Amino acid sequence: MAKLKILHFPDSRLRQKCPKVEVFDTNLEKVVEDMLETMYAENGIGLAAIQVNIIKRIIVIDISPDRNEPLILINPEIQDKKNEIEFEEGCLSVPGFYEKVNRYNNITFKAQLPNGEFYTRDVDGLLAVCVQHEIDHLNGKLFVDYISSLKRDRIAKKIQKLEAEGKKFERKNVPYSI
Ligand code: QAP
Ligand code: CO
């Protein structure tokens, strides 16, 4: 296993539309393992492959308190969505910033496992929001795209400044329960 480097907003590499996974091989399994290691090391609840510069439709999620219920979503598609909610989100690629976003509280999604097997799940609440957030990544979209461009540009400048100073990002005070 290996911990991978996370790209930070406003890196333009986060803006790519990712193609589907076509080959279900041991390399895919290794990518998934490395993504899980990276997500756990960074105290995240979700990570899309594009965030670690792998341009494929691969997502890992774990919202469990004990960090031992990994979900793997390859080529995910939302099939049904209902009940709009407002949810305060963060992102490992936008460290230290949180904003309210409009999402759906209930979704049905279809995805594949690393062995290529298809599955369908109904999810709600935090997990549903996390799936929507991560699928946005696969289409080059970030949660800051839902806020005003003034706020977004301010966040971009702050992150760039911190990065230029070589500072470690604060990883405390994550507002949702993990
Ligand atoms: C996406 O986000 C998400 O700024 C996953 O300092 C977020 O794992 C889905 C994180 C909220 C639904 C609701 C962010 C950790 C992790 C930070 C994350 C930070 C430390 C974000
Ligand atoms: Co994110």
XYZ file of all heavy atoms in Angstrom, residues 38-138:
809
model
N -4.888 6.420 1.658
C -4.772 7.885 1.606
C -5.944 8.551 2.333
O -5.751 9.467 3.143
C -4.721 8.358 0.140
O -3.675 7.644 -0.533
C -4.492 9.855 0.040
N -7.168 8.067 2.053
C -8.357 8.642 2.705
C -8.278 8.475 4.228
O -8.527 9.439 4.975
C -9.621 7.955 2.177
C -10.894 8.443 2.868
S -12.373 7.627 2.261
C -12.167 5.971 2.919
N -7.904 7.296 4.694
C -7.819 7.066 6.150
C -6.713 7.927 6.771
O -6.907 8.510 7.837
C -7.588 5.582 6.454
C -8.791 4.692 6.172
C -8.655 3.517 5.451
C -10.062 5.043 6.642
C -9.759 2.698 5.191
C -11.166 4.240 6.389
C -11.007 3.068 5.668
O -12.097 2.268 5.420
N -5.570 8.017 6.110
C -4.443 8.806 6.643
C -4.800 10.279 6.757
O -4.317 10.978 7.656
C -3.218 8.624 5.754
N -5.658 10.750 5.851
C -6.019 12.181 5.832
C -7.327 12.454 6.577
O -7.856 13.578 6.513
C -6.142 12.668 4.385
C -4.890 12.487 3.544
C -3.767 13.436 3.930
O -4.053 14.475 4.563
O -2.605 13.121 3.616
N -7.873 11.441 7.241
C -9.136 11.587 7.988
C -10.305 12.041 7.111
O -11.139 12.839 7.549
C -8.977 12.564 9.157
C -8.063 12.014 10.220
O -8.131 10.833 10.535
N -7.188 12.851 10.753
N -10.338 11.520 5.907
C -11.448 11.849 5.009
C -12.556 10.812 5.105
O -12.353 9.709 5.627
N -13.728 11.168 4.597
C -14.839 10.201 4.522
C -15.091 9.782 3.075
O -15.837 8.849 2.820
C -16.138 10.754 5.146
C -16.577 12.064 4.486
C -15.964 10.949 6.651
C -17.987 12.495 4.874
N -14.449 10.483 2.135
C -14.603 10.132 0.733
C -13.441 10.672 -0.087
O -12.875 11.717 0.251
N -13.084 9.926 -1.129
C -11.983 10.347 -2.000
C -12.245 9.830 -3.417
O -12.572 8.658 -3.601
C -10.658 9.776 -1.467
C -9.385 10.156 -2.219
C -8.998 11.616 -1.953
C -8.226 9.237 -1.816
N -12.088 10.716 -4.394
C -12.211 10.321 -5.799
C -10.802 10.226 -6.386
O -9.900 10.974 -5.997
C -13.040 11.349 -6.567
N -10.614 9.300 -7.349
C -9.284 9.041 -7.911
C -8.634 10.304 -8.483
O -7.429 10.519 -8.346
C -9.378 7.955 -8.977
N -9.448 11.161 -9.094
C -8.925 12.397 -9.685
C -8.196 13.258 -8.650
O -7.259 13.985 -8.971
C -10.092 13.197 -10.348
C -9.620 14.493 -11.014
C -11.172 13.571 -9.351
C -9.266 14.312 -12.430
N -8.579 13.154 -7.374
C -7.931 13.937 -6.310
C -6.492 13.482 -6.056
O -5.716 14.213 -5.444
C -8.730 13.842 -5.006
C -10.107 14.478 -5.065
C -10.846 14.325 -3.758
O -11.546 13.348 -3.543
N -10.667 15.275 -2.863
N -6.169 12.269 -6.492
C -4.794 11.791 -6.379
C -4.198 11.592 -7.785
O -3.310 10.770 -7.996
C -4.696 10.503 -5.531
C -4.966 10.824 -4.071
C -5.662 9.424 -6.019
N -4.743 12.393 -8.731
C -4.208 12.467 -10.089
C -4.331 11.167 -10.881
O -3.513 10.886 -11.754
C -2.748 12.952 -10.064
C -2.346 13.645 -11.347
O -3.196 14.123 -12.098
N -1.060 13.668 -11.621
N -5.346 10.384 -10.557
C -5.653 9.187 -11.339
C -6.986 9.472 -12.036
O -8.017 9.651 -11.383
C -5.742 7.929 -10.436
C -4.361 7.644 -9.824
C -6.267 6.725 -11.230
C -4.358 6.619 -8.714
N -6.917 9.573 -13.380
C -8.047 10.117 -14.131
C -9.000 8.994 -14.550
O -9.091 8.625 -15.728
C -7.556 10.908 -15.383
C -6.262 11.677 -15.103
C -8.638 11.856 -15.889
C -6.316 12.615 -13.923
N -9.690 8.437 -13.567
C -10.637 7.334 -13.795
C -11.827 7.500 -12.861
O -11.733 8.163 -11.834
C -9.949 5.988 -13.491
C -8.969 5.545 -14.565
C -9.704 5.013 -15.768
C -8.738 4.697 -16.912
N -9.458 4.448 -18.158
N -12.956 6.826 -13.208
C -14.171 6.938 -12.395
C -14.138 5.933 -11.242
O -14.798 4.891 -11.279
C -15.421 6.781 -13.279
C -15.474 7.817 -14.401
C -16.744 7.792 -15.208
N -17.827 8.571 -14.613
C -17.940 9.894 -14.681
N -17.037 10.617 -15.310
N -18.955 10.501 -14.105
N -13.319 6.279 -10.222
C -13.132 5.432 -9.042
C -13.322 6.293 -7.788
O -12.753 7.386 -7.696
C -11.709 4.830 -8.991
C -11.365 4.116 -10.301
C -11.546 3.893 -7.791
C -9.889 3.720 -10.411
N -14.108 5.784 -6.834
C -14.383 6.497 -5.582
C -14.230 5.524 -4.417
O -14.650 4.361 -4.523
C -15.838 7.046 -5.591
C -15.987 8.172 -6.612
C -16.284 7.492 -4.200
C -17.438 8.547 -6.908
N -13.660 5.987 -3.300
C -13.722 5.237 -2.041
C -14.405 6.118 -1.002
O -14.225 7.342 -0.992
C -12.335 4.763 -1.536
C -11.716 3.778 -2.507
C -11.390 5.947 -1.292
N -15.190 5.491 -0.145
C -15.955 6.198 0.894
C -15.915 5.349 2.158
O -15.951 4.112 2.089
C -17.432 6.394 0.449
C -17.524 7.400 -0.709
C -18.319 6.849 1.621
C -18.934 7.587 -1.284
N -15.816 5.997 3.328
C -16.056 5.308 4.605
C -16.565 6.332 5.605
O -15.805 7.171 6.065
C -14.787 4.623 5.127
C -15.103 3.651 6.265
O -16.160 3.814 6.905
O -14.290 2.735 6.506
N -17.864 6.270 5.903
C -18.440 7.219 6.864
C -18.591 6.575 8.246
O -19.149 7.184 9.145
C -19.814 7.769 6.395
C -20.826 6.641 6.239
C -19.676 8.559 5.099
C -22.274 7.134 6.359
N -18.108 5.332 8.425
C -18.302 4.643 9.711
C -17.392 5.235 10.783
O -16.259 5.621 10.499
C -18.012 3.147 9.551
O -16.628 2.928 9.369
N -17.892 5.330 12.031
C -17.085 5.912 13.122
C -15.777 5.145 13.352
O -14.752 5.748 13.676
C -17.987 5.800 14.352
C -19.366 5.611 13.820
C -19.228 4.925 12.491
N -15.795 3.831 13.170
C -14.597 3.024 13.418
C -13.680 2.914 12.199
O -12.647 2.252 12.252
C -14.994 1.620 13.889
C -15.688 1.660 15.246
O -15.480 2.649 15.982
O -16.448 0.719 15.561
N -14.072 3.563 11.095
C -13.245 3.595 9.892
C -12.931 2.193 9.375
O -11.799 1.901 8.988
C -11.917 4.336 10.152
C -12.015 5.504 11.085
C -12.628 6.741 10.476
N -11.787 7.348 9.468
C -12.292 7.811 8.322
N -13.562 7.716 8.062
N -11.496 8.380 7.452
N -13.941 1.339 9.411
C -13.714 -0.041 8.967
C -14.835 -0.562 8.065
O -15.060 -1.757 7.978
C -13.527 -0.965 10.177
C -14.764 -0.957 11.083
O -15.735 -0.246 10.812
N -14.718 -1.733 12.141
N -15.557 0.373 7.398
C -16.608 -0.044 6.470
C -16.406 0.634 5.113
O -17.187 1.490 4.692
C -17.991 0.315 7.037
C -18.368 -0.517 8.262
C -19.663 -0.055 8.923
O -20.597 0.344 8.187
O -19.719 -0.079 10.159
N -15.317 0.271 4.436
C -15.022 0.914 3.151
C -16.051 0.569 2.079
O -16.510 -0.574 1.993
C -13.642 0.343 2.783
C -13.538 -0.934 3.515
C -14.302 -0.744 4.793
N -16.428 1.566 1.303
C -17.279 1.363 0.129
C -16.449 1.716 -1.093
O -15.707 2.701 -1.079
C -18.505 2.274 0.186
C -19.457 2.086 1.373
C -20.564 3.134 1.308
C -20.053 0.688 1.336
N -16.593 0.924 -2.142
C -15.859 1.166 -3.382
C -16.877 1.340 -4.498
O -17.754 0.493 -4.670
C -14.901 -0.008 -3.676
C -13.906 -0.176 -2.517
C -14.173 0.213 -5.001
C -13.203 -1.512 -2.508
N -16.770 2.447 -5.217
C -17.712 2.743 -6.301
C -16.913 2.966 -7.578
O -16.214 3.969 -7.729
C -18.510 4.015 -6.004
C -19.592 4.025 -4.916
C -19.001 3.954 -3.515
C -20.428 5.294 -5.037
N -17.016 2.009 -8.496
C -16.381 2.155 -9.805
C -17.486 2.458 -10.814
O -18.542 1.810 -10.789
C -15.649 0.849 -10.182
C -14.875 0.361 -8.968
C -14.823 1.013 -11.457
C -13.457 0.131 -9.049
N -17.261 3.449 -11.665
C -18.247 3.850 -12.692
C -19.650 4.080 -12.099
O -20.638 3.566 -12.640
C -18.331 2.791 -13.802
C -16.991 2.535 -14.471
O -16.120 3.407 -14.490
N -16.816 1.344 -15.015
N -19.751 4.848 -11.006
C -21.062 5.016 -10.367
C -22.013 5.872 -11.198
O -21.569 6.765 -11.933
C -20.718 5.728 -9.061
C -19.502 6.525 -9.392
C -18.714 5.663 -10.351
N -23.304 5.590 -11.065
C -24.350 6.388 -11.719
C -25.517 6.549 -10.764
O -25.976 5.554 -10.191
C -24.858 5.679 -12.991
C -23.917 5.795 -14.169
C -24.383 4.968 -15.362
O -25.609 4.859 -15.576
O -23.507 4.418 -16.054
N -26.001 7.784 -10.619
C -27.184 8.024 -9.798
C -28.412 7.723 -10.640
O -28.558 8.238 -11.742
C -27.186 9.463 -9.251
C -26.032 9.615 -8.255
C -28.529 9.789 -8.580
C -25.854 10.985 -7.661
N -29.271 6.863 -10.106
C -30.454 6.446 -10.867
C -31.713 7.119 -10.397
O -32.687 7.218 -11.140
C -30.591 4.922 -10.782
C -29.403 4.241 -11.456
C -29.533 2.746 -11.452
O -29.642 2.151 -10.385
N -29.532 2.143 -12.613
N -31.719 7.559 -9.139
C -32.896 8.230 -8.591
C -32.438 9.137 -7.463
O -31.492 8.811 -6.744
C -33.869 7.162 -8.066
C -35.252 7.737 -7.826
O -35.603 8.752 -8.474
O -35.969 7.192 -6.968
N -33.084 10.299 -7.338
C -32.730 11.227 -6.267
C -33.978 11.940 -5.802
O -34.831 12.285 -6.623
C -31.672 12.222 -6.749
C -32.011 12.913 -8.042
C -30.830 13.671 -8.613
C -31.263 14.459 -9.835
N -30.178 15.102 -10.560
N -34.118 12.120 -4.476
C -35.274 12.876 -3.974
C -34.978 13.562 -2.643
O -34.007 13.235 -1.969
C -36.513 11.985 -3.892
C -36.370 10.689 -3.133
C -37.720 9.972 -3.096
C -37.717 8.869 -2.061
N -37.669 7.540 -2.637
N -35.833 14.510 -2.310
C -35.774 15.268 -1.055
C -34.532 16.156 -0.959
O -33.502 15.758 -0.423
C -35.848 14.335 0.166
C -37.115 13.479 0.160
O -38.157 13.928 -0.302
N -37.009 12.258 0.641
N -34.669 17.362 -1.467
C -33.554 18.320 -1.421
C -33.213 18.699 0.016
O -34.106 18.884 0.834
C -33.920 19.584 -2.200
C -33.630 19.424 -3.688
C -33.383 20.758 -4.369
O -32.397 21.428 -3.995
O -34.180 21.112 -5.254
N -31.918 18.820 0.287
C -31.448 19.288 1.601
C -30.262 20.219 1.391
O -29.652 20.238 0.319
C -30.988 18.128 2.530
C -30.068 17.151 1.787
C -32.164 17.430 3.164
C -29.181 16.349 2.693
N -29.952 20.954 2.443
C -28.753 21.781 2.447
C -27.765 21.074 3.368
O -28.144 20.633 4.454
C -29.112 23.162 3.013
C -28.162 24.243 2.578
C -28.597 25.589 3.121
O -28.766 25.716 4.349
O -28.753 26.520 2.319
N -26.507 20.938 2.923
C -25.528 20.186 3.709
C -24.202 20.940 3.711
O -23.752 21.410 2.666
C -25.335 18.798 3.098
C -24.910 17.755 4.075
C -25.828 16.880 4.641
C -23.570 17.662 4.447
C -25.423 15.921 5.548
C -23.160 16.697 5.368
C -24.090 15.823 5.920
N -23.582 21.062 4.901
C -22.287 21.735 4.976
C -21.190 20.731 4.625
O -21.023 19.729 5.302
C -22.047 22.318 6.369
C -20.706 23.025 6.456
C -20.692 24.126 7.490
O -21.072 23.853 8.643
O -20.289 25.252 7.147
N -20.461 21.029 3.539
C -19.451 20.096 3.044
C -18.044 20.649 3.147
O -17.833 21.854 3.150
C -19.718 19.779 1.554
C -21.038 19.104 1.335
C -21.252 18.690 -0.105
O -20.300 18.712 -0.919
O -22.398 18.325 -0.412
N -17.104 19.708 3.189
C -15.692 20.032 3.067
C -15.138 19.145 1.974
O -15.890 18.440 1.306
N -13.819 19.162 1.791
C -13.200 18.335 0.757
C -11.701 18.264 1.038
O -11.093 19.279 1.380
C -13.439 18.972 -0.613
S -12.711 18.068 -1.987
N -11.120 17.085 0.887
C -9.678 16.952 1.104
C -8.888 17.808 0.118
O -7.747 18.165 0.394
C -9.260 15.479 0.984
C -9.687 14.575 2.153
C -9.432 13.116 1.816
C -8.958 14.969 3.437
N -9.494 18.170 -1.001
C -8.823 19.027 -1.983
C -9.061 20.516 -1.727
O -8.521 21.354 -2.451
C -9.293 18.679 -3.401
O -8.848 17.384 -3.758
N -9.878 20.833 -0.711
C -10.134 22.230 -0.336
C -9.953 22.314 1.180
O -10.892 22.624 1.918
C -11.556 22.681 -0.744
C -11.718 24.198 -0.612
C -11.887 22.259 -2.178
N -8.750 22.013 1.685
C -8.555 21.810 3.122
C -8.848 23.068 3.934
O -8.393 24.159 3.607
C -7.083 21.400 3.241
C -6.443 21.902 1.997
C -7.502 21.838 0.934
N -9.638 22.865 5.001
C -9.904 23.944 5.948
C -11.101 24.809 5.615
O -11.395 25.751 6.350
N -11.824 24.507 4.535
C -12.969 25.335 4.144
C -14.233 24.490 4.041
O -14.199 23.362 3.554
C -12.695 26.042 2.808
C -11.549 27.014 2.902
C -10.239 26.592 2.664
C -11.760 28.328 3.285
C -9.160 27.471 2.786
C -10.698 29.212 3.403
C -9.402 28.789 3.153
N -15.341 25.075 4.505
C -16.617 24.356 4.559
C -17.714 25.299 4.112
O -17.751 26.444 4.522
C -16.883 23.868 5.996
C -15.716 23.076 6.527
C -14.669 23.709 7.213
C -15.612 21.703 6.280
C -13.553 22.998 7.644
C -14.512 20.983 6.705
C -13.483 21.635 7.384
O -12.389 20.931 7.797
N -18.609 24.803 3.257
C -19.700 25.644 2.755
C -20.958 24.802 2.593
O -20.874 23.599 2.315
C -19.326 26.250 1.385
C -18.142 27.187 1.420
C -18.425 28.540 2.065
O -19.616 28.897 2.247
O -17.445 29.242 2.389
N -22.098 25.467 2.706
C -23.377 24.772 2.519
C -23.678 24.588 1.036
O -23.505 25.523 0.239
C -24.505 25.562 3.178
C -24.518 25.372 4.678
C -25.679 26.083 5.324
C -25.629 25.904 6.841
N -26.317 27.006 7.523
N -24.122 23.381 0.692
C -24.415 23.021 -0.694
C -25.810 22.378 -0.737
O -26.206 21.697 0.205
C -23.357 22.010 -1.215
C -23.684 21.528 -2.614
C -21.959 22.625 -1.178
N -26.567 22.588 -1.813
C -27.860 21.908 -1.984
C -27.633 20.534 -2.593
O -26.995 20.407 -3.643
C -28.785 22.720 -2.893
C -29.244 23.996 -2.210
O -29.553 23.996 -1.014
N -29.268 25.080 -2.941
N -28.166 19.520 -1.907
C -28.021 18.125 -2.358
C -29.362 17.420 -2.199
O -30.328 18.016 -1.764
C -26.975 17.399 -1.492
C -25.575 17.974 -1.547
C -24.879 17.668 -2.858
N -23.458 18.035 -2.788
C -22.657 18.019 -3.845
N -23.108 17.647 -5.021
N -21.390 18.375 -3.723
N -29.358 16.111 -2.492
C -30.531 15.271 -2.242
C -30.245 14.377 -1.042
O -29.129 13.875 -0.889
C -30.863 14.436 -3.477
C -31.304 15.298 -4.627
C -30.387 15.789 -5.549
C -32.645 15.680 -4.747
C -30.777 16.625 -6.579
C -33.052 16.506 -5.773
C -32.120 16.981 -6.683
O -32.520 17.815 -7.695
N -31.275 14.185 -0.220
C -31.113 13.372 0.995
C -31.210 11.875 0.707
O -30.701 11.073 1.475
C -32.179 13.756 2.027
C -31.932 13.108 3.363
O -30.826 13.177 3.896
N -32.941 12.455 3.912
N -31.874 11.516 -0.403
C -32.070 10.100 -0.730
C -31.696 9.860 -2.181
O -32.227 10.525 -3.066
C -33.546 9.704 -0.553
C -34.063 10.005 0.838
O -34.363 11.163 1.138
N -34.159 8.999 1.669
N -30.805 8.909 -2.399
C -30.460 8.558 -3.779
C -30.384 7.032 -3.948
O -30.158 6.300 -2.977
C -29.117 9.180 -4.254
C -27.931 8.657 -3.430
C -29.157 10.698 -4.219
C -26.580 8.924 -4.078
N -30.587 6.617 -5.182
C -30.305 5.229 -5.568
C -29.158 5.312 -6.567
O -29.208 6.118 -7.492
C -31.528 4.583 -6.254
O -32.641 4.683 -5.368
C -31.267 3.127 -6.586
N -28.095 4.557 -6.314
C -26.996 4.556 -7.279
C -26.622 3.142 -7.678
O -26.870 2.181 -6.959
C -25.777 5.317 -6.743
C -24.988 4.600 -5.684
C -23.975 3.699 -6.014
C -25.242 4.806 -4.336
C -23.242 3.033 -5.039
C -24.512 4.154 -3.343
C -23.517 3.259 -3.698
N -26.034 3.068 -8.865
C -25.518 1.814 -9.411
C -24.011 1.992 -9.530
O -23.549 3.099 -9.842
C -26.144 1.610 -10.789
C -25.777 0.338 -11.503
C -26.516 0.266 -12.842
C -25.525 0.471 -13.972
N -26.102 0.258 -15.306
N -23.224 0.961 -9.263
C -21.765 1.045 -9.418
C -21.212 -0.356 -9.619
O -21.965 -1.333 -9.598
C -21.135 1.701 -8.188
N -19.895 -0.421 -9.842
C -19.231 -1.719 -9.967
C -18.195 -1.892 -8.866
O -17.683 -0.901 -8.322
C -18.553 -1.824 -11.337
C -19.520 -2.133 -12.469
C -18.868 -1.958 -13.828
O -18.771 -0.843 -14.334
N -18.425 -3.062 -14.423
N -17.882 -3.133 -8.549
C -16.824 -3.485 -7.606
C -15.525 -3.699 -8.394
O -15.556 -3.800 -9.613
C -17.207 -4.769 -6.862
C -18.433 -4.634 -5.949
C -18.884 -6.007 -5.442
C -18.106 -3.701 -4.772
N -14.373 -3.780 -7.687
C -13.099 -3.967 -8.415
C -13.052 -5.241 -9.261
O -12.231 -5.341 -10.173
C -12.060 -4.006 -7.288
C -12.672 -3.201 -6.193
C -14.145 -3.510 -6.254
N -13.954 -6.201 -8.987
C -13.999 -7.402 -9.834
C -14.963 -7.248 -11.012
O -15.208 -8.195 -11.749
C -14.365 -8.641 -8.991
C -15.780 -8.550 -8.413
O -16.557 -7.649 -8.767
N -16.114 -9.466 -7.532
N -15.543 -6.060 -11.157
C -16.424 -5.784 -12.284
C -17.901 -6.008 -12.012
O -18.760 -5.610 -12.798
N -18.196 -6.662 -10.879
C -19.584 -6.951 -10.517
C -20.405 -5.672 -10.302
O -19.930 -4.741 -9.651
C -19.561 -7.769 -9.221
C -20.833 -8.502 -8.886
C -20.679 -9.243 -7.549
O -19.634 -9.911 -7.349
O -21.587 -9.116 -6.729
N -21.630 -5.647 -10.841
C -22.519 -4.495 -10.645
C -23.311 -4.645 -9.358
O -23.663 -5.767 -8.971
C -23.504 -4.385 -11.820
C -22.881 -3.839 -13.078
C -22.296 -4.696 -14.013
C -22.880 -2.473 -13.324
C -21.720 -4.195 -15.181
C -22.311 -1.970 -14.492
C -21.727 -2.837 -15.415
N -23.594 -3.499 -8.701
C -24.504 -3.511 -7.552
C -25.292 -2.214 -7.533
O -24.897 -1.216 -8.147
C -23.741 -3.725 -6.236
C -22.845 -2.588 -5.801
C -23.290 -1.644 -4.846
C -21.562 -2.434 -6.315
C -22.469 -0.604 -4.430
C -20.745 -1.388 -5.902
C -21.204 -0.476 -4.960
O -20.395 0.555 -4.553
N -26.418 -2.236 -6.832
C -27.288 -1.059 -6.692
C -27.548 -0.840 -5.214
O -27.688 -1.815 -4.465
C -28.621 -1.291 -7.428
O -28.333 -1.615 -8.788
C -29.497 -0.051 -7.394
N -27.577 0.422 -4.778
C -27.865 0.711 -3.358
C -28.717 1.955 -3.202
O -28.543 2.931 -3.929
C -26.556 0.931 -2.584
C -26.056 -0.308 -1.879
C -24.967 0.014 -0.884
N -25.494 0.568 0.370
C -24.751 0.775 1.450
N -23.469 0.476 1.435
N -25.294 1.293 2.542
N -29.616 1.906 -2.221
C -30.365 3.082 -1.772
C -29.640 3.619 -0.553
O -29.397 2.860 0.384
C -31.769 2.678 -1.294
C -32.697 2.326 -2.428
O -32.511 2.867 -3.535
O -33.605 1.513 -2.199
N -29.290 4.898 -0.545
C -28.606 5.472 0.611
C -29.229 6.824 0.956
O -29.891 7.451 0.126
C -27.081 5.630 0.363
C -26.416 4.274 0.228
C -26.804 6.476 -0.876
N -28.990 7.263 2.200
C -29.537 8.563 2.593
C -28.558 9.320 3.487
O -27.508 8.804 3.845
C -30.910 8.396 3.276
C -30.829 7.576 4.544
O -29.728 7.426 5.106
O -31.875 7.077 4.985
N -28.922 10.560 3.794
C -28.144 11.370 4.725
C -26.712 11.610 4.263
O -26.455 11.819 3.072
N -25.788 11.547 5.234
C -24.378 11.833 4.958
C -23.828 10.987 3.815
O -23.096 11.484 2.951
C -23.557 11.612 6.238
C -22.043 11.779 6.101
C -21.654 13.196 5.670
C -21.343 11.430 7.418
N -24.188 9.692 3.806
C -23.663 8.810 2.753
C -24.163 9.240 1.372
O -23.392 9.271 0.403
C -24.030 7.353 3.064
C -23.518 6.291 2.091
C -22.015 6.436 1.838
C -23.844 4.901 2.606
N -25.438 9.603 1.297
C -26.002 10.063 0.016
C -25.301 11.337 -0.452
O -24.964 11.483 -1.639
C -27.508 10.308 0.157
N -25.057 12.261 0.485
C -24.387 13.517 0.146
C -22.953 13.236 -0.311
O -22.471 13.808 -1.298
C -24.403 14.491 1.350
C -23.533 15.709 1.078
C -25.832 14.910 1.672
N -22.301 12.313 0.385
C -20.916 11.978 0.046
C -20.826 11.392 -1.372
O -19.942 11.773 -2.146
C -20.369 10.993 1.088
S -18.586 10.903 1.089
N -21.747 10.506 -1.729
C -21.750 9.923 -3.079
C -21.936 11.023 -4.126
O -21.225 11.062 -5.141
C -22.845 8.828 -3.207
C -23.023 8.397 -4.659
C -22.502 7.619 -2.325
N -22.851 11.967 -3.872
C -23.077 13.064 -4.828
C -21.831 13.937 -4.965
O -21.432 14.315 -6.078
C -24.274 13.919 -4.371
C -25.603 13.185 -4.471
C -26.706 13.881 -3.681
O -27.251 14.881 -4.132
N -27.032 13.354 -2.499
N -21.187 14.244 -3.825
C -19.960 15.061 -3.820
C -18.851 14.371 -4.623
O -18.159 15.004 -5.431
C -19.532 15.277 -2.356
C -18.222 15.960 -2.165
N -18.114 17.223 -1.616
C -16.945 15.570 -2.419
C -16.847 17.572 -1.567
N -16.102 16.587 -2.045
N -18.681 13.073 -4.403
C -17.589 12.341 -5.066
C -17.861 12.161 -6.563
O -16.933 12.229 -7.376
C -17.359 10.984 -4.394
C -16.990 11.045 -2.902
C -15.819 11.952 -2.586
O -14.955 12.148 -3.461
O -15.771 12.484 -1.458
N -19.116 11.942 -6.943
C -19.437 11.819 -8.375
C -19.182 13.154 -9.075
O -18.686 13.184 -10.209
C -20.873 11.291 -8.591
C -20.948 9.816 -8.168
C -21.294 11.445 -10.067
C -22.329 9.180 -8.284
N -19.453 14.263 -8.397
C -19.103 15.580 -8.958
C -17.618 15.626 -9.337
O -17.258 16.115 -10.413
C -19.392 16.696 -7.939
C -20.800 17.274 -8.059
O -21.544 16.872 -8.983
O -21.153 18.128 -7.225
N -16.746 15.107 -8.432
C -15.303 15.101 -8.725
C -14.997 14.422 -10.057
O -14.144 14.876 -10.821
C -14.533 14.347 -7.632
C -14.178 15.168 -6.434
N -13.354 16.264 -6.506
C -14.508 15.036 -5.130
C -13.200 16.774 -5.278
N -13.897 16.055 -4.419
N -15.699 13.305 -10.326
C -15.439 12.534 -11.552
C -15.790 13.327 -12.803
O -15.348 13.012 -13.901
C -16.228 11.215 -11.540
C -16.019 10.304 -10.329
C -16.809 9.023 -10.502
C -14.543 9.989 -10.115
